[in-house]
Amino acid sequence: MSQFIVLFRRHVTIQSVLDTVLWLAVAIPVLILFLYGTPHERGFLCDDPSLSFPYKTPTLSTSSLLIVSAIVPLLVVFFIEVVNCIDKKCRSQFFTSGMVLYIVNMYAIFLVGFIIQQGVVEVIKSRMGVLRPNFFDVCKPHFNVSLCPGYITKYTCTGSDLMEIRDSRLSFPSGHSSLAMYIAVFFCVYIDDRLQIINSNILKPFLQSGLVFIAVLCGVDRIMDNKHHPSDVVAGFVLGVVVGLAVYYKIARNVLPVNETPDKSDKHVIRAREARESRVSRDCYTYDESQEMEPQSPLPLLQHENLDDTNPEKNGTVSTQMFLDTPFKARRHFSTPITPTFKSEDGI
C-alpha cells in the first residue's frame, strides 16, 4: 500500500511539473508579444472619420482587468461551493484538503483558457495592425497632404507617447471584450453544472446573467472610450465564447468532477431526491430511497378450493364470474361461500 502511495505521489508531481512547464512555455511568449510586439504598420485614408475620435482615459485599464480576472474566478468558485453546502444544510467540515485541491485545479484550468485566448488575441492584433478610433489624435501623423483624398502609406507619427502610438495599431480584436466574455461563458457553464440549489429557482440565472452583463458592459465601455470599433468588440465576444466553451467542455469536464450526473435530463431527479433528503434529515445523513417507494399491490388472494368458474353450482357455491355479474357488483370475500336459493314450482 505504501508503495502505491509513493508511486501515486510521484505521478502527480511529474504531471504538475510538466503542466506548469507547458503553461509557462506558452505564457512567456504571449507576455513578450503583449509587451514588446511590433504591430503591422497599416495605412489609412487621410479623411477617415472612424479614426478621428479624441483620446480618452480608459474606464477599465488593462491592469485593472487583469486583477479582476484573477480574483473573480476564485470568488465565483468559493461562492458556489459555500452555497451548495448551505443549501444542503451540511454540518460537516467545509475547508477540506479535497476542496482546496478542487479549487486549485479549477483555477489552473481557467488559466489555461486565459493563455489560449490571450495568445490568439495578441497574434491577430500584431498581424493585422488595425488602427484604433483615436489613431489620429494619438499618432498625429505627418504626411504629404497633396495626396488627399487617398490612401496614405508613408507617414510619420509625431506624438510624444511611443507606447500609446504602438497601442493605437492594436484595435482588432478587442482583448478586453474577449477576456471578459471568456470569464463569463466559462463560469456560466460551471455554475450550470456545479450549483445544485433547491431553495431558489432564480439564483442560478441571476448569477449567469450578471456575468454576461458585466462582459457586455466591458465591451461597450471600450467603444465609448474610443479604444475599439464595434466590429472589434463583436469579434472579441465571439472569440471569448468559443474559447470558453472549448476549454470547459474539452478540459474541465474531463478533469474535474463538476457534476456526478452531467446529463441535463437527470437534474430534476437529483433535485427531487435532495428535496426528500432535506425533509427527512437536515444533517446530511444517509437516506434510503426505498422508504418512499410506492406501495406494492397486495398479492392476489388464493382461490378457494370450492370456487370453480366452470361449474357455478359445484358444492353449493357461486363462481367468481357469477358473483361479479350481480346487479350491484358488490365486493365480498371470495372465501365465503354463498348458497343459492331455488324456488320450486309451488313457490317454496
Side-chain angles (χ1 to χ4, degrees):
M1 185 65 181
S2 60
Q3 185 178 1
F4 174 77
I5 296 176
V6 172
L7 292 176
F8 176 75
R9 290 179 177 177
R10 182 180 302 176
H11 172 73
V12 172
T13 302
I14 295 175
Q15 183 180 4
S16 301
V17 172
L18 181 59
D19 291 344
T20 303
V21 171
L22 292 175
W23 188 86
L24 291 176
V26 178
I28 292 176
V30 171
L31 180 61
I32 294 175
L33 184 62
F34 173 75
L35 295 176
Y36 306 107
T38 302
H40 172 69
E41 294 188 6
R42 174 179 292 197
F44 57 87
L45 295 173
C46 58
D47 56 349
D48 190 351
S50 63
L51 305 179
S52 304
F53 291 87
Y55 173 83
K56 291 183 179 180
T57 303
T59 304
L60 181 62
S61 62
T62 303
S63 58
S64 300
L65 178 63
L66 293 176
I67 294 175
V68 171
S69 63
I71 297 176
V72 167
L74 293 176
L75 295 179
V76 171
V77 175
F78 180 79
F79 176 76
I80 296 303
E81 299 305 323
V82 171
V83 170
N84 280 339
C85 188
I86 294 176
D87 187 70
K88 294 178 181 178
K89 298 179 177 59
C90 294
R91 298 179 181 178
S92 59
Q93 185 179 0
F94 174 70
F95 292 101
T96 61
S97 58
M99 180 57 61
V100 174
L101 182 61
Y102 174 85
I103 296 176
V104 170
N105 288 336
M106 174 59 71
Y107 192 74
I109 293 176
F110 165 78
L111 291 179
V112 171
F114 166 75
I115 291 300
I116 292 175
Q117 71 85 27
Q118 194 62 33
V120 174
V121 166
E122 294 303 325
V123 170
I124 297 177
K125 280 177 176 287
S126 299
R127 295 296 297 172
M128 297 191 66
V130 178
L131 304 178
R132 294 186 186 273
N134 58 13
F135 175 74
F136 288 162
D137 192 19
V138 173
C139 176
K140 298 179 174 58
H142 176 72
F143 55 92
N144 188 359
V145 183
S146 62
L147 298 177
C148 292
Y151 189 75
I152 308 300
T153 56
K154 295 182 180 180
Y155 61 93
T156 303
C157 288
T158 60
S160 59
D161 195 338
L162 298 180
M163 292 299 297
E164 286 294 338
I165 293 174
R166 171 185 171 274
D167 186 67
S168 65
R169 295 191 176 98
L170 302 172
S171 183
F172 182 88
S174 173
H176 286 63
S177 302
S178 176
L179 178 57
M181 188 57 69
Y182 164 71
I183 297 174
V185 171
F186 185 90
F187 285 103
C188 277
V189 185
Y190 170 79
I191 290 172
D192 189 60
D193 271 351
R194 185 64 180 174
L195 182 58
Q196 302 295 336
I197 186 170
I198 304 173
N199 295 329
S200 176
N201 294 325
I202 62 175
L203 177 60
K204 182 182 293 187
F206 269 12
L207 292 175
Q208 295 170 331
S209 301
L211 290 173
V212 175
F213 176 76
I214 294 174
V216 173
L217 187 62
C218 178
V220 172
D221 285 342
R222 297 299 287 177
I223 297 176
M224 298 301 295
D225 292 339
N226 300 331
K227 293 295 184 181
H228 290 287
H229 306 282
S231 58
D232 305 334
V233 173
V234 173
F237 286 159
V238 173
L239 179 60
V241 171
V242 172
V243 175
L245 294 177
V247 171
Y248 187 88
Y249 284 107
K250 294 298 182 181
I251 302 178
R253 270 261 179 104
N254 296 330
V255 175
L256 302 178
V258 178
N259 191 4
E260 295 179 356
T261 54
D263 187 5
K264 305 295 182 182
S265 62
D266 294 339
K267 281 191 173 182
H268 67 282
V269 179
I270 299 174
R271 294 175 180 176
R273 184 174 68 248
E274 291 181 350
R276 294 195 302 266
E277 293 175 1
S278 64
R279 291 196 300 267
V280 175
S281 174
R282 297 185 177 274
D283 295 336
C284 296
Y285 296 141
T286 57
Y287 174 70
D288 187 7
E289 293 185 354
S290 62
Q291 296 175 359
E292 292 194 14
M293 294 178 61
E294 295 183 359
Q296 298 291 335
S297 59
L299 294 176
L301 297 175
L302 295 176
Q303 187 175 7
H304 195 272
E305 59 181 358
N306 293 328
L307 294 179
D308 188 359
D309 294 341
T310 60
N311 189 2
E313 298 182 2
K314 182 179 180 180
N315 295 328
T317 60
V318 180
S319 67
T320 306
Q321 185 66 31
M322 183 177 182
F323 175 73
L324 293 178
D325 288 340
T326 56
F328 301 100
K329 298 184 182 296
R331 294 182 179 272
R332 296 174 60 92
H333 202 285
F334 290 165
S335 61
T336 303
I338 299 176
T339 303
T341 60
F342 300 96
K343 293 182 179 182
S344 63
E345 295 179 355
D346 297 334
I348 300 175

